Amino acid sequence: MLSCDICGETVTSEPDMKAHLLIVHMENEVICPFCKLSGMNYDEMCFHIETAHFEQNELERSFARINTIQYRTSDNRKDNTLQCRMEVNSSVHSAGASNHPKILAQSLPNDGTLKQKAFYSENLTEARKFLKSKEKECDLSKIKGSIYKTMYSPPECPFCGRIEDCSQDMENHVKTKHANLLDTPSEDHDQPLYDCPMCGLICTNYHILQEHVDLHLEESSFGQGIDRVQCSRDLELAHQLQQEEDRKRRSEESQQEMGEFQKLQRQYGLDNSGGYKQQQLRNMEIEVNRGRMHPSEFHRRKADMMESLAIGIDDGKTKTSGIIEALYRYYQNAATEVRRVWLSTEVDHFHSSFGDKGWGCGYRNFQMLLSSLLRNDAYDDCLKGMSIPCIPKIQSMIEDAWKEGFDPQGASQLNNRLQGTKAWIGACEVYTLLTSLRVKCHIVDFHKSTGPLGTHPRLFEWILNYYSSEREGSPKVVCTSKPPIYLQHQGQETSISSLYS
């Protein structure tokens, strides 16, 4: 059975319902069966009934379900019995619909639950009276029992579960036994009202207020838990980002340090790019390619170099002799503004070549110092029969001194290897070599400036004391028996063979 949502009329099939809607409600004016509102179409009327008369509409649908039950349980009854039952249902529906204004006009209890139950009870009372009047005319005792079992269950207390016979008894029970739980306090008790400190909701009971506040606290605790989880995730993400940034920074610093170290290696000849021989050949090839050296000259110089390397003696092509004699003549005759000059013993000057250009100054200054010592009779016992060695030979001699135990710290800094490299040497390596040759020498360190603007007056005072004589009335130019001084300063080695004032 299908029930019309507008007028409540029941039909047996869906085509009949469509015909009913077309004839009664679509072609004719649609009127609300509850408040007689008109002047709208079918869809608007359905929306109006669902929103404005929801409870009344639910009652109509309940009676429609009753009709369906009755129809299914009595298909084998006679036509007069079926006709009588339909009459009863139609009458029940009419009675319920006619009583809607009456029910709405009555004053209902303030409690929301009691409102619904009272409304429901009024409609059931009217239906019950009407069924009793019709029971004598039609044999519907089974139908009435089915209706009672389906719709007329005794009311149950929503607070304690007690069952009463009628809704009026249930209403009295709730008002007397559970007045403190109702939204509106009973007239006999002047109960205080409690405001929620968190949202301002008014509660009639302290226990209800406590439960309400507990819900707020649980919600707040849940939110705080989510915040703590989110904060933990944020801290973890920040920690990961910090670790990634630290790794990136360390990698960049390591790459920068490695680049600087490789630069220093190239600067001091420790980059395994070859030594004296390789550089000599490479630079001579460049000169040939540029047209500044004839190929025959290239081969001649290469042969001389190979011979020099084989015997370990410098070929003398970079040597300049007579330096001290030239200085003596200059200061004696030309330099009239100079009051006093001190000169070392005779020394030869050695300049760089294609093979050591850019890194061989330490070796060349040692050759200059050794050329002066070989002319001094005081060192005949140590240097007798010795010639000026070439640069690869000097490297070999220093390595031999390291093997004998001289200057282990300096050896470790240069990886115990000089041959085949362009490694720089300084005062420590020259001291190691001379000491291994039993030449008495010492190192004087002026590690910081002793005058204004980074000057070294104490250094010059020490050099003056080294060369000068205590005798008064000495000549303007003094040729001493002192060998030249091997001076190492930042990035450079120098030989001091004269001093003037």
Side-chain angles (χ1 to χ4, degrees):
M1 298 291 291
L2 301 176
S3 176
C4 178
D5 292 336
I6 300 177
C7 64
E9 183 176 349
T10 58
V11 295
T12 59
S13 64
E14 185 175 352
D16 294 341
M17 177 59 67
K18 292 182 179 180
H20 166 75
L21 292 175
L22 179 62
I23 296 173
V24 177
H25 300 293
M26 298 298 291
E27 295 180 355
N28 298 329
E29 182 180 9
V30 181
I31 301 175
C32 176
F34 301 107
C35 63
K36 306 305 180 183
L37 179 66
S38 61
M40 58 183 67
N41 58 27
Y42 173 71
D43 293 333
E44 292 175 347
M45 181 59 67
C46 290
F47 177 76
H48 165 72
I49 292 174
E50 290 294 332
T51 55
H53 308 292
F54 176 77
E55 295 181 353
Q56 295 93 325
N57 194 33
E58 285 295 322
L59 181 62
E60 294 292 339
R61 294 178 179 177
S62 299
F63 280 111
R65 287 194 295 270
I66 295 173
N67 293 336
T68 302
I69 295 172
Q70 293 172 351
Y71 183 81
R72 290 178 179 176
T73 55
S74 58
D75 284 342
N76 55 354
R77 287 180 176 270
K78 296 179 181 180
D79 294 339
N80 57 350
T81 304
L82 177 61
Q83 181 180 0
C84 182
R85 185 180 68 250
M86 295 300 296
E87 182 181 357
V88 172
N89 291 332
S90 178
S91 300
V92 170
H93 169 72
S94 300
S98 62
N99 280 282
H100 285 164
K102 174 184 176 182
I103 294 170
L104 294 174
Q106 293 176 353
S107 60
L108 299 177
N110 293 329
D111 183 77
T113 304
L114 295 180
K115 286 180 181 180
Q116 184 176 358
K117 288 184 176 291
F119 175 82
Y120 190 71
S121 176
E122 288 292 337
N123 285 277
L124 293 182
T125 303
E126 294 292 333
R128 188 182 293 112
K129 290 179 180 181
F130 187 81
L131 286 174
K132 288 183 179 179
S133 64
K134 289 291 182 177
E135 188 176 355
K136 294 180 181 180
E137 297 177 4
C138 302
D139 187 11
L140 297 177
S141 60
K142 294 183 180 179
I143 299 175
K144 180 182 68 174
S146 176
I147 294 174
Y148 285 165
K149 289 180 182 179
T150 306
M151 298 297 296
Y152 305 147
S153 59
E156 181 179 354
C157 178
F159 302 105
C160 63
R162 180 173 177 177
I163 299 175
E164 296 290 347
D165 295 335
C166 62
S167 61
Q168 188 64 34
D169 295 340
M170 178 56 64
E171 180 179 352
N172 294 332
H173 165 74
V174 170
K175 287 183 177 181
T176 55
K177 300 298 183 181
H178 308 292
N180 58 335
L181 300 178
L182 298 177
D183 291 339
T184 303
S186 61
E187 297 178 357
D188 298 337
H189 300 83
D190 188 12
Q191 292 183 345
L193 300 178
Y194 301 93
D195 294 341
C196 175
M198 305 183 74
C199 67
L201 179 68
I202 299 176
C203 300
T204 59
N205 184 275
Y206 173 76
H207 299 288
I208 296 177
L209 175 63
Q210 184 176 3
E211 294 179 359
H212 174 73
V213 173
D214 290 341
L215 291 176
H216 279 299
L217 296 178
E218 290 178 2
E219 181 180 359
S220 176
S221 176
F222 179 75
Q224 292 176 359
I226 294 178
D227 293 339
R228 284 194 295 270
V229 172
Q230 185 64 32
C231 181
S232 176
R233 292 177 179 175
D234 293 342
L235 289 176
E236 183 178 357
L237 178 59
H239 183 63
Q240 292 177 356
L241 293 176
Q242 184 64 39
Q243 287 181 337
E244 184 66 25
E245 184 178 352
D246 293 340
R247 285 194 296 268
K248 183 178 180 181
R249 177 178 53 81
R250 287 194 296 267
S251 176
E252 292 177 352
E253 291 177 353
S254 177
Q255 292 178 358
Q256 182 179 1
E257 182 179 356
M258 180 60 66
E260 293 177 353
F261 179 70
Q262 292 176 353
K263 182 179 179 181
L264 289 174
Q265 284 184 321
R266 290 191 299 269
Q267 180 180 354
Y268 293 101
L270 299 174
D271 57 347
N272 297 322
S273 61
Y276 177 87
K277 176 181 175 181
Q278 289 79 5
Q279 181 171 325
Q280 177 85 4
L281 294 175
R282 186 164 52 250
N283 288 336
M284 287 194 303
E285 289 175 356
I286 293 175
E287 292 296 313
V288 172
N289 293 333
R290 292 177 179 177
R292 292 189 294 217
M293 180 183 293
H294 196 272
S296 60
E297 180 70 13
F298 169 82
H299 291 289
R300 186 183 64 80
R301 289 193 179 189
K302 180 178 179 182
D304 294 341
M305 179 194 68
M306 298 303 293
E307 181 180 358
S308 174
L309 294 179
I311 63 177
I313 299 176
D314 189 79
D315 56 10
K317 289 183 171 58
T318 64
K319 182 179 72 171
T320 303
S321 301
I323 299 297
I324 298 300
E325 295 178 4
L327 291 174
Y328 179 86
R329 290 192 300 269
Y330 171 78
Y331 286 115
Q332 187 70 33
N333 302 319
T336 57
E337 72 279 0
V338 176
R339 294 185 296 109
R340 187 71 56 87
V341 178
W342 292 269
L343 300 175
S344 69
T345 58
E346 187 65 34
V347 61
D348 296 328
H349 180 266
F350 291 83
H351 63 82
S352 62
S353 64
F354 286 124
D356 64 289
K357 186 176 181 179
W359 58 273
C361 58
Y363 301 95
R364 295 302 183 181
N365 280 280
F366 172 74
Q367 288 177 332
M368 295 171 62
L369 176 59
L370 185 59
S371 68
S372 177
L373 295 178
L374 292 175
R375 291 185 172 93
N376 196 325
D377 296 337
Y379 301 100
D380 286 345
D381 295 338
C382 303
L383 306 176
K384 186 176 181 180
M386 187 175 180
S387 301
I388 303 298
C390 62
I391 289 179
K393 181 61 176 178
I394 297 174
Q395 293 177 329
S396 175
M397 294 169 67
I398 296 175
E399 289 181 0
D400 293 339
W402 287 342
K403 293 177 182 178
E404 294 176 6
F406 293 94
D407 191 19
Q409 291 82 7
S412 64
Q413 291 178 1
L414 296 173
N415 297 324
N416 297 288
R417 179 172 173 262
L418 288 176
Q419 294 187 82
T421 69
K422 294 180 287 188
W424 293 17
I425 64 171
C428 292
E429 287 72 33
V430 172
Y431 171 84
T432 299
L433 179 54
L434 293 175
T435 304
S436 67
L437 297 174
R438 296 179 298 163
V439 176
K440 186 178 180 180
C441 56
H442 61 276
I443 297 176
V444 181
D445 183 16
F446 297 90
H447 58 278
K448 63 179 181 180
S449 62
T450 55
L453 301 177
T455 57
H456 294 269
R458 292 191 61 184
L459 170 63
F460 287 98
E461 182 182 353
W462 186 89
I463 296 173
L464 177 61
N465 293 333
Y466 176 77
Y467 281 117
S468 64
S469 173
E470 299 295 335
R471 294 177 300 173
E472 294 292 339
S474 59
K476 176 182 178 182
V477 181
V478 179
C479 293
T480 68
S481 61
K482 302 290 184 67
I485 298 173
Y486 186 99
L487 176 64
Q488 176 185 356
H489 54 92
Q490 182 65 33
Q492 188 69 39
E493 284 77 29
T494 305
S495 293
I496 301 176
S497 59
S498 64
L499 179 69
Y500 66 89
S501 63

